[in-house]
Amino acid sequence: MRIVVCRRVALRCLSCLFSLFPLWMMAGEYERYYTQLPVSLSEPMAPVIPDHRVTVTDFGAVGDGVQSDTEAFAKAISALTKQGGGHLVVPAGVYLCGMISLKDNIDLHLERNAMLLFSPDKKDFLKVDPATGQLATDKATPAISASKRRNVSITGEGIIDGNGEWWRAVKRSKVSDVEWKMYTDLGGTVADNGSLWYPFHLKYFDDIASDAKKQEGMRTHLIRLTDCERVLIQGVTVQNSPKFHIVPQRCKHVIIDGVTVRCPWNAQNGDGIDLMQCQEALIVNCTVDVGDDGICMKGGVGKEGLKYGPCQNILIQDNTVFHAHGGFVIGSEFSGGMYNIVVRKNTFSSTDTGLRFKSGVGRGGKTRDIFISDIYMSDIKDQAVVFETSYADRPVGSDGAPVQPKQEDFIPEFSDIHIQRVVCRDVKTAVAAHGTLEMIHDIFLDDCVFFYFKQDKSIDHPDMISFKNVSFHTY
């Protein structure tokens, strides 16, 4: 009996140990990615999480997909915070939640078959105004957020689902008759002569704005971490966001590893992973299949972009992007700059564009030391490599006129970009660049192969891009 008990204790200890393996082994785990780099990059520091562990069901969570478990998550995070941090374990179940706010030294760990399903009731993402006690209706809060925190992680094998269909407008031209009926059966509002459906005046939930367009502007991200240091997102599936899926903003030391990001191909503003003015970051081993840009670097608009600085010292490697507007993207806003970014050994299959550099006057900045290599693409709808400098924001439901930024002196300057060993089969246009030499210059393409079905190049000025050992083929 004593031997059996000891064995059980030992197995339980081993189980706990291996469940924490990704975090306690993190120091130096990613060193192998930082070899033979074309520019010096430092490995990001992983979060350090204390050994304390609590389970969300111990704080009243049910996980039946019916009862709201928001309060249980808040209590569990509070209890861990009082201990200095630790691991919040989410066992198998469907946990219906509102806002979850992570604190210092917290790991949100989703076990296999655990799903965080965020509430379809938009009111659950509005904070209460402390002065009036009323719900604030200027903007919604992300489902999972952290602000000015250190050592924050989201790990495991579970699913984080944003229930985005209750938030997003739908264009009639992008859905089938069956899908259109599914949306209109929810109620909502059909606008623009039947070309657009808004989740406004739904059958089951109240509106949070006075009209459909205002409510559309309140859509929020699924995971947004702002001004945080030492961030890890690892292993989980993140899907169906109301807007962007994973948004580290002004964060330092960010690791996104082995994450699956997915949503319908026609999801409005359904970006996958957006780094916004982050420094020391690694995106590796991820799979992205989304409705807008796949892996995107953003650097702020105008003076605000300059205030918070560049995206800098970033490595993106060994990822696969399926549907997306762009596989790897810089822009549209990057006034703070893009410096020291290495993108290598990635695959793009069935994206609209492959390598996409987009901006416009008022949104632009400078790029420096951008190195892209060993990119493999197939079935690319538009361009394999594209530079566009007349980009403007066009919110859904607008009258077609682009929303122009106020500062018109921030001219995009795409330069010092080195692209090597790209192989692309089946693309409409292999390489495109539209703008002036002031905006696009010192771009180098070496040792690439493109198989196109309409056009090899569409470039406004021959001096924009230097080609060396690049071959173009067609039928």
Side-chain angles (χ1 to χ4, degrees):
M1 177 67 70
R2 185 175 302 164
I3 293 173
V4 172
V5 171
C6 290
R7 181 177 296 170
R8 287 176 180 170
V9 171
L11 288 173
R12 188 177 298 121
C13 291
L14 282 172
S15 175
C16 293
L17 186 64
F18 282 112
S19 70
L20 297 180
F21 181 84
L23 295 182
W24 66 261
M25 280 295 292
M26 201 59 63
E29 181 182 351
Y30 295 102
E31 280 185 18
R32 66 185 185 277
Y33 295 105
Y34 288 82
T35 60
Q36 298 181 335
L37 291 169
V39 64
S40 178
L41 300 177
S42 56
E43 181 183 345
M45 293 183 290
V48 178
I49 306 295
D51 289 338
H52 306 119
R53 294 168 62 84
V54 302
T55 302
V56 70
T57 51
D58 293 338
F59 294 84
V62 178
D64 63 359
V66 177
Q67 174 180 306
S68 174
D69 292 318
T70 307
E71 186 176 350
F73 278 89
K75 288 179 178 178
I77 291 170
S78 177
L80 276 176
T81 299
K82 290 176 182 177
Q83 300 180 67
H87 304 268
L88 171 52
V89 178
V90 184
V94 179
Y95 299 84
L96 190 66
C97 290
M99 297 177 287
I100 294 176
S101 179
L102 299 178
K103 308 299 182 184
D104 290 336
N105 311 316
I106 297 290
D107 168 42
L108 177 63
H109 183 79
L110 279 68
E111 294 185 338
R112 182 183 289 273
N113 296 321
M115 177 185 290
L116 289 184
L117 180 63
F118 286 92
S119 172
D121 190 343
K122 300 178 187 67
K123 295 196 302 298
D124 290 339
F125 301 93
L126 300 179
K127 291 184 176 179
V128 176
D129 187 331
T132 64
Q134 302 295 315
L135 290 174
T137 56
D138 55 342
K139 60 181 178 180
T141 298
I144 298 177
S145 65
S147 177
K148 299 180 180 178
R149 300 296 178 183
R150 288 174 56 88
N151 300 316
V152 174
S153 66
I154 302 170
T155 63
E157 299 178 82
I159 295 173
I160 300 171
D161 190 311
N163 237 333
E165 64 269 24
W166 297 96
W167 288 85
R168 296 188 299 261
V170 175
K171 294 178 179 178
R172 179 66 184 90
S173 61
K174 289 190 173 183
V175 295
S176 67
D177 292 345
V178 173
E179 292 170 303
W180 185 253
K181 187 177 185 301
M182 289 172 59
Y183 286 111
T184 56
D185 283 349
L186 299 174
T189 300
V190 177
D192 294 352
N193 296 320
S195 66
L196 195 62
W197 177 85
Y198 288 103
F200 186 75
H201 292 341
L202 293 168
K203 290 180 181 178
Y204 308 113
F205 301 104
D206 295 333
D207 300 318
I208 59 172
S210 57
D211 61 68
K213 289 185 179 180
K214 183 176 180 182
Q215 184 169 282
E216 167 67 19
M218 295 174 68
R219 279 192 294 139
T220 186
H221 306 314
L222 183 47
I223 300 172
R224 186 173 70 204
L225 310 173
T226 306
D227 298 307
C228 294
E229 189 168 344
R230 295 195 178 193
V231 170
L232 170 69
I233 304 176
Q234 184 183 61
V236 293
T237 294
V238 181
Q239 66 183 28
N240 204 18
S241 175
K243 201 172 182 182
F244 301 169
H245 286 77
I246 299 175
V247 186
Q249 184 175 26
R250 302 191 300 272
C251 293
K252 295 182 179 179
H253 300 285
V254 177
I255 301 169
I256 303 174
D257 175 21
V259 173
T260 297
V261 186
R262 58 189 294 270
C263 70
W265 73 271
N266 49 16
Q268 193 71 29
N269 306 117
D271 284 27
I273 301 171
D274 284 37
L275 294 189
M276 297 185 176
Q277 296 176 289
C278 292
Q279 299 180 8
E280 276 72 50
L282 172 66
I283 301 174
V284 66
N285 304 320
C286 294
T287 300
V288 179
D289 190 345
V290 292
D292 209 310
D293 289 327
I295 300 173
C296 184
M297 309 289 105
K298 294 183 178 293
V301 176
K303 293 179 181 178
E304 284 295 304
L306 288 179
K307 177 180 177 182
Y308 292 112
C311 271
Q312 187 170 15
N313 299 330
I314 295 167
L315 176 58
I316 299 168
Q317 182 172 327
D318 294 339
N319 304 285
T320 301
V321 181
F322 292 106
H323 187 274
H325 287 185
F328 170 76
V329 182
I330 287 180
S332 65
E333 61 273 22
F334 71 108
S335 297
M338 296 282 154
Y339 307 142
N340 291 11
I341 298 175
V342 176
V343 183
R344 62 181 184 178
K345 301 178 183 178
N346 297 282
T347 298
F348 307 148
S349 177
S350 302
T351 58
D352 288 355
T353 62
L355 302 170
R356 186 184 190 193
F357 305 86
K358 60 174 182 176
S359 192
V361 175
R363 313 177 74 87
K366 297 181 183 295
T367 63
R368 185 180 69 231
D369 290 324
I370 311 296
F371 293 90
I372 301 171
S373 63
D374 302 294
I375 306 296
Y376 307 98
M377 310 185 205
S378 69
D379 192 23
I380 306 301
K381 175 176 172 286
D382 295 318
Q383 304 96 4
V385 181
V386 58
F387 296 86
E388 49 185 310
T389 57
S390 58
Y391 185 91
D393 190 22
R394 290 180 173 86
V396 64
S398 66
D399 58 6
V403 177
Q404 296 290 353
K406 294 179 181 179
Q407 302 96 348
E408 294 188 357
D409 53 344
F410 289 89
I411 298 173
E413 185 179 356
F414 292 115
S415 65
D416 198 12
I417 298 175
H418 307 261
I419 301 172
Q420 294 180 302
R421 296 184 299 281
V422 171
V423 176
C424 178
R425 169 75 191 200
D426 288 333
V427 61
K428 182 178 180 181
T429 301
V431 182
H434 301 295
T436 66
L437 274 174
E438 179 185 18
M439 296 180 179
I440 306 169
H441 61 91
D442 294 303
I443 311 296
F444 304 93
L445 263 68
D446 299 341
D447 303 316
C448 301
V449 180
F450 300 96
F451 191 103
Y452 65 92
F453 56 82
K454 183 177 180 180
Q455 192 175 18
D456 57 352
K457 296 187 286 289
S458 177
I459 300 173
D460 289 350
H461 195 288
D463 291 338
M464 287 177 169
I465 301 176
S466 171
F467 295 91
K468 181 180 179 182
N469 194 27
V470 176
S471 61
F472 299 91
H473 308 268
T474 191
Y475 294 99

